[in-house]
Amino acid sequence: MAGARAQTRPSSHYTTIERLRLHHLRWGPASGPVVVLLHGLRAHAYCWERLAPSLAPPFQLLALDFRGHGESDWSEDGYGTAAYLEDL
């Protein structure tokens, strides 16, 4: 049972894009087909913690913290759909 629990925990990763440090969570095998999980306006990547383990494997799930959300940096360049798409 402890081994199954360990597999349901995501790994945490950071990527820097134009001085902006963005965070995402990853579940599932690195070799699996990628599914990107996007949160709502007042949420963050961790909102997927209950659902993600039931989808991975076989999928590699990537849950992004948009700029200014969760563990991603705040942006001096602004927010909005265009900025979020650029980050993605």
Side-chain angles (χ1 to χ4, degrees):
M1 189 72 148
R5 267 192 218 133
Q7 293 175 3
T8 64
R9 293 188 184 136
S11 57
S12 183
H13 304 270
Y14 293 89
T15 302
T16 301
I17 300 173
E18 295 184 23
R19 304 179 329 264
L20 192 63
R21 188 173 182 232
L22 300 173
H23 175 255
H24 72 276
L25 298 174
R26 182 184 299 152
W27 288 267
S31 61
V34 175
V35 175
V36 178
L37 305 173
L38 303 176
H39 62 74
L41 292 178
R42 295 183 177 215
H44 46 75
Y46 289 96
C47 73
W48 296 102
E49 278 189 303
R50 291 187 67 181
L51 178 63
S54 65
L55 300 174
F59 300 104
Q60 177 185 183
L61 305 174
L62 302 176
L64 167 66
D65 275 331
F66 286 124
R67 59 174 66 198
H69 292 78
E71 295 181 32
S72 287
D73 285 346
W74 288 87
S75 174
E76 294 178 8
D77 298 329
Y79 300 89
T81 303
Y84 297 143
L85 287 173
E86 189 176 320
D87 295 343
L88 182 62

